[in-house]
Amino acid sequence: MLSGINHITLAVSDLNVSFDFYVGTLGFTPEAKWASGAYLSSGGFWLCLALDKPAAGNDGTHYAFSVSGEAFDVFAERLRSSGITEWKINKSEGKSVYFLDPDGHKLEIHDGDLKSRLSACLAEPYEGMEFY
């Protein structure tokens, strides 16, 4: 039986550029780095950067990272001042910034959680939404 996400591996075209972005801009903790990859962590979350040929899609697939409500505005400004490209405008509950990493992977910072999202959806459900 599954118990949660183990880790996410992202294909990156330049390991040093991506390492600097995830560590320097997003604040991940470096755990290990080698010629073709790196292991990073953030709040118990494990991210692997793997040197490869990225092929980011044209759909809504993305990876969201939690940021507390108190820290959100400062962190969002830090991202924007670093020159990130925003790929989507937030239209859902809570504060979010949707942005691209150096290889075009779609990322998000969000200050809510599943509970806050479901509460908002109970108040204003999406078309055809069912709750369990």
Side-chain angles (χ1 to χ4, degrees):
M1 183 170 172
L2 298 178
S3 60
I5 294 175
N6 183 278
H7 70 279
I8 292 176
T9 297
L10 295 177
V12 299
S13 60
D14 185 317
L15 183 61
N16 291 325
V17 168
S18 292
F19 186 89
D20 290 347
F21 176 79
Y22 282 91
V23 172
T25 302
L26 295 185
F28 275 75
T29 300
E31 301 292 345
K33 186 177 177 189
W34 61 100
S36 61
Y39 292 140
L40 312 175
S41 66
S42 177
F45 173 72
W46 169 20
L47 178 68
C48 175
L49 304 178
L51 194 57
D52 203 348
K53 295 180 182 175
N58 292 323
D59 59 18
T61 300
H62 66 282
Y63 309 98
F65 304 111
S66 295
V67 175
S68 70
E70 302 80 40
F72 189 89
D73 292 336
V74 170
F75 197 89
E77 179 53 36
R78 181 173 138 199
L79 281 176
R80 289 180 173 124
S81 67
S82 77
I84 54 133
T85 298
E86 294 187 51
W87 64 272
K88 180 179 175 180
I89 302 300
N90 185 36
K91 295 178 183 172
S92 60
E93 155 278 330
K95 292 181 180 180
S96 286
V97 175
Y98 298 85
F99 59 100
L100 302 177
D101 82 350
D103 286 297
H105 295 291
K106 294 176 181 174
L107 307 175
E108 173 190 3
I109 57 167
H110 182 65
D111 75 343
D113 57 20
L114 180 58
K115 184 177 179 180
S116 62
R117 177 64 49 90
L118 289 175
S119 291
C121 288
L122 281 169
E124 294 184 42
Y126 305 146
E127 183 179 343
M129 190 170 212
E130 296 179 41
F131 297 91
Y132 299 94

